[in-house]
Amino acid sequence: MNEGSLAIPLYASHISAGFPSPADDYIEAELDLNRFMVRNPPDTFMVRAKGDALSGAGILDGDVLVVDRSIGPRHGMIVVVIVNGEMCVRRLNRKYGNWVLDTENRDFQPLRIRPGQDLEIWGVVTGMVRKY
């Protein structure tokens, strides 16, 4: 195990989110959340979401996003971007030949990327951690 990692027991059985089912006492393995959440450590960072522009995608204010810079962004992916000097997280979509940074909340407008507009994609969101 790597220094700084923490392995937690992972039970082999699934837990019902509907009707209760008998629990198994069998532990499948130990789960290291770093290894589970991070595919490419040198190119991965975490950032905390602020606001609820992506609440429809399950990303809420205060969630910690796992972002991988080594993944090439494609249509439909959730990405961390800098637009005109401001960092935000949005869903990257291609519409009518142009890139659009969509929200998943009707209270927010999409950001249409115009030719020459300052845009830098910092990485693709690959996971999320939420503490209740």
Side-chain angles (χ1 to χ4, degrees), residues 20-89:
S21 64
D24 267 345
D25 289 333
Y26 179 74
I27 295 176
E28 175 184 343
E30 288 187 334
L31 175 65
D32 179 336
L33 291 177
N34 290 308
R35 293 179 79 189
F36 181 70
M37 298 294 293
V38 178
R39 295 178 200 155
N40 190 2
D43 291 319
T44 299
F45 67 95
M46 294 187 182
V47 64
R48 192 173 299 276
K50 183 176 180 182
D52 57 357
L54 287 176
S55 60
I59 297 175
L60 305 178
D61 186 59
D63 288 347
V64 175
L65 307 178
V66 180
V67 183
D68 190 330
R69 293 191 66 141
S70 70
I71 298 173
R74 294 186 312 272
H75 172 79
M77 291 181 159
I78 295 177
V79 295
V80 172
V81 299
I82 296 180
V83 180
N84 298 326
E86 290 192 40
M87 183 180 277
C88 65
V89 60

